Structure formats: structure tokens, C-alpha cells
Amino acid sequence: MLQPWQTGKVVRIVDETGNTKRYWIEVPEMRSFDFEPGQFVTLDLPIHEKPARRQRSYSIASWPDGTNVFELVIVLLEGGAGTTWLFNEIKEGSELTFRGPLGKFTLPETIDRDLFFICTGTGIAPFRSMAHHILNHNIRHQNIYLIFGCRKLGDCLYGRELKELAEKMTSFQYIPTFSREVAENQNHLIRTGYVHSIYEEICRAGAAPDSLKPAYFYLCGWKNMIDEAKQRIQALGYDRKTIHQELYG
């Protein structure tokens, strides 16, 4: 059964990077907007007559905090009708029609093995939500590796915040890796290249000669990254059932 459409009011907008905005949306009809970290909402935008071409889904970037406000982080896609409309038309005070929360890209009931959160771009959103939720509720967990693929330093969404979270939460490692960072900006604390070499390195380092350390893999981002990650993770010896994905684009 589909959830009903609701009206949300945009109460705050912040430019996070040159082509990324953060939107805080209040749901006036609700005292508390409840959701599970990792879920998404679907927006109905006035950009086409056909419903299927009007709808755009975005992972919730905030975490459940008992309020009726949630956050989305949205990147402007070149030629994208939905994001172009949002960036040009939506101001603080604007209303948005949405449905949600939706989706099953959520944490396991018991976090009894290492978690690998692997993402690119705004695919960071559900993992920001999950990491804060685990810390806020003191949920028992193993090691958590957030491996975030960016092009350059300026693309690193929530970078300072996640670095501070890693300092508070010793079992949480925040590992941004940059594919196009120029050599003069490199130092031994900056990882360069692509996300795949990072999780392969960690998995191999932690594995016994004849066994793999148990892990769950959560993938969120563009299709090419997810397809390659699924192949590589299975090539390491992990079962397909340990991999969970949320596709963007």
C-alpha cells in the first residue's frame, strides 16, 4: 500500500559545495517525522505531466532526532530537470510534495560484523544518518569503515563533521579518497585513487590466511561504482548476500 503524499515546508537551505545544496524540510502536520537511517523520500515536482517523470527520490541525510524536520543533500545534475527546478525555484518557505519514508536500505537488527559504507557523491547521505544514529543510541557494533569517493577536496560533503565523528567514535573510520586531487596537495593523510582499493586493502589486512573477517557491505552512489564494487567484493570471497545497495541515477 502506497503512502499518501504529504506537504513539507523548506525551512533552511545551505550551499554545501559549488553544485550541492542542503535542504531542511519541515512536516507541519507531524510532531515527529520518524524514519530508519538509510531510508529515502520521493518528491513530486511540477516538471512533467506524467507522474513517473515528475518523481525524484533522495536519501535522508539527517538522522531520527524526534523532530518533524529532515534534511536532504542534492547535487545539481547537468541537464537534470528535477535538480534544475529545485535549485532555481525552491527558496526558504517554499512547499514540496513528498512521500515517505521509504526503502529497506537500513542497518541490520544486530550489527555483529564489520560494516563497510562505500559511497560516492551524495551517496554519503544514508551513511551520515546511520553513523550518527549508532553513536547517538550507543548501539553495539563492530568496526565501521566509511569510504567516500570524491573528485577533489572541495567535493567532500560533511567532511569536517565526519572527521570529528571519527575522533569521538574510535571504532568508526572515515576514509575519504580523492580521484582527481593534484599531486602538490597530497600528503600522507590524504588517500588518492578510487574507493575499491581501500576496502580491498582493509579486507585483506584483516583476513586470516584461510578465512574472511565477517562483514556487511553497503553501497550507495552511481551505477558504475556499485557494479564494480559488487564484482570486487565477491572476488574477495564474500557472499552476494552480504552486499546491500542503493542506486543513484
Side-chain angles (χ1 to χ4, degrees):
M1 182 177 174
L2 280 177
Q3 294 183 18
W5 292 102
Q6 301 182 75
T7 299
K9 181 180 178 182
V10 178
V11 293
R12 187 181 177 205
I13 301 173
V14 168
D15 292 328
E16 180 73 2
T17 70
N19 66 343
T20 309
K21 290 180 183 286
R22 297 166 65 183
Y23 297 84
W24 282 261
I25 300 167
E26 180 184 56
V27 191
E29 294 180 358
M30 306 180 88
R31 179 174 293 180
S32 175
F33 181 75
D34 299 321
F35 62 94
E36 290 187 58
Q39 290 190 301
F40 64 88
V41 296
T42 296
L43 305 183
D44 182 39
L45 308 176
I47 55 174
H48 203 275
E49 293 177 1
K50 294 182 179 179
R53 300 187 68 176
R54 295 163 56 99
Q55 296 174 14
R56 300 291 188 274
S57 295
Y58 300 100
S59 292
I60 301 170
S62 51
W63 48 94
D65 61 1
T67 74
N68 64 346
V69 176
F70 63 91
E71 180 188 334
L72 303 179
V73 59
I74 298 175
V75 62
L76 178 64
L77 299 177
E78 188 174 346
T83 57
T84 298
W85 186 86
L86 285 166
F87 273 55
N88 290 343
E89 303 299 329
I90 292 299
K91 316 295 182 195
E92 291 181 0
S94 297
E95 291 186 341
L96 285 170
T97 301
F98 77 95
R99 175 184 279 156
L102 301 162
K104 297 182 179 179
F105 187 71
T106 53
L107 290 166
E109 285 189 22
T110 303
I111 308 176
D112 56 357
R113 57 184 71 184
D114 288 354
L115 292 177
F116 285 83
F117 295 155
I118 303 164
C119 57
T120 50
T122 53
I124 190 76
F127 302 140
R128 176 189 185 232
S129 179
M130 291 176 182
H132 277 281
H133 183 71
I134 289 169
L135 177 64
N136 292 343
H137 293 274
N138 198 27
I139 296 171
R140 289 175 66 96
H141 60 279
Q142 306 296 313
N143 294 312
I144 302 172
Y145 303 95
L146 174 47
I147 304 167
F148 182 20
C150 309
R151 291 185 176 182
K152 297 191 175 183
L153 287 168
D155 299 329
C156 200
L157 299 170
Y158 306 113
R160 181 177 296 175
E161 173 193 308
L162 291 167
K163 186 177 178 183
E164 290 173 356
L165 189 63
E167 291 169 357
K168 293 179 190 173
M169 193 172 167
T170 55
S171 55
F172 173 62
Q173 290 193 40
Y174 167 59
I175 311 170
T177 182
F178 304 95
S179 62
R180 298 188 184 180
E181 198 50 51
V182 291
E184 56 264 31
N185 281 343
Q186 291 181 17
N187 61 53
H188 70 285
L189 298 175
I190 295 177
R191 304 296 293 261
T192 57
Y194 295 92
V195 294
H196 309 293
S197 61
I198 307 296
Y199 60 77
E200 287 177 332
E201 176 188 314
I202 294 168
C203 290
R204 289 183 177 129
D210 58 348
S211 65
L212 290 168
K213 192 171 183 184
Y216 293 117
F217 297 87
Y218 284 74
L219 315 175
C220 190
W222 297 107
K223 184 177 186 299
N224 290 346
M225 183 279 285
I226 287 179
D227 287 347
E228 184 171 350
K230 286 192 293 187
Q231 292 176 359
R232 287 181 178 238
I233 290 164
Q234 291 176 89
L236 286 168
Y238 287 95
D239 191 283
R240 173 70 184 84
K241 293 177 181 177
T242 66
I243 303 171
H244 309 269
Q245 71 181 59
E246 192 79 288
L247 188 65
Y248 275 29

